[in-house]
Structure formats: C-alpha cells, structure tokens
C-alpha cells in the first residue's frame, strides 16, 4: 500500500483529522485530479464534475482539522477514494 492510499484511509477513518500534514493532503488532492490555485495563504482546489471547491490553509505544517473533514466529505460524496 502506497503513501497516498495510507493517507486516504487515515482521512476516511477520521480518527486523526488534526494530525494530517498539509503538504501530504495537498499532494493527495492533486493526485485525485484536483487543480490548485493559490491566493495568499489559501490553496483552492477545483475539479471538473465536483460542485464544491476545497479551500486549505496551513496551521504550521498541518492542515486544519475542519478542512480535513471537508475533504473527507467531498471524497465520500463523489466516490473519489475508489480504484484509479
């Protein structure tokens, strides 16, 4: 199992939302086909066919817990965690 599969499982489990590295979450979204746009400290991710936009900000080197929950909701809603 690769690094991103482990991270995806960790996010979907929801047990450690406050302990997800920002850069890892960012790379996971990019690997899922999201396009990133940066405006100041905001990293905004969009993907065709996905209504929601994901807005991430750093909390030191971690992603903010509520934003990890938002990412999980989008992954579950659109079935993005399946085989690629």
């Amino acid at each position: 199992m690769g690094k991103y599969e482990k991270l995806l499982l960790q996010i979907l489990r929801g047990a450690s939302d406050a302990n997800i590295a920002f850069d890892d979450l960012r790379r996971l979204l990019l690997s899922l086909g999201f396009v990133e746009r940066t405006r100041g400290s905001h990293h905004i991710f969009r993907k065709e066919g996905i209504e929601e936009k994901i807005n991430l900000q750093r909390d030191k080197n971690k992603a903010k817990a509520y934003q990890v929950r938002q990412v999980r909701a989008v992954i579950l809603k659109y079935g993005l965690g399946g085989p690629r």
Side-chain angles (χ1 to χ4, degrees):
M1 182 181 295
K3 179 177 183 175
Y4 294 114
E5 288 83 5
K6 289 179 184 178
L7 178 61
L8 184 60
L9 286 175
Q10 184 180 7
I11 290 169
L12 292 176
R13 247 185 271 123
S16 57
D17 289 347
N19 199 26
I20 303 290
F22 177 85
D23 289 330
D24 289 345
L25 184 58
R26 184 183 155 275
R27 284 190 214 106
L28 175 68
L29 289 171
L30 293 172
S31 75
L32 291 173
F34 283 85
V35 177
E36 178 182 22
R37 188 181 95 218
T38 305
R39 294 185 68 104
S41 65
H42 295 262
H43 295 256
I44 301 162
F45 295 86
R46 301 291 314 233
K47 182 176 179 174
E48 191 169 326
I50 306 255
E51 191 175 313
E52 296 87 347
K53 62 182 170 189
I54 297 173
N55 182 5
L56 299 181
Q57 290 175 279
R58 287 183 186 271
D59 187 7
K60 296 185 177 137
N61 67 337
K62 303 289 184 193
K64 294 184 178 187
Y66 78 92
Q67 293 171 340
V68 174
R69 289 191 294 273
Q70 290 173 344
V71 169
R72 179 173 45 253
V74 169
I75 288 171
L76 291 172
K77 179 178 179 180
Y78 294 96
L80 300 176
R84 288 180 271 154

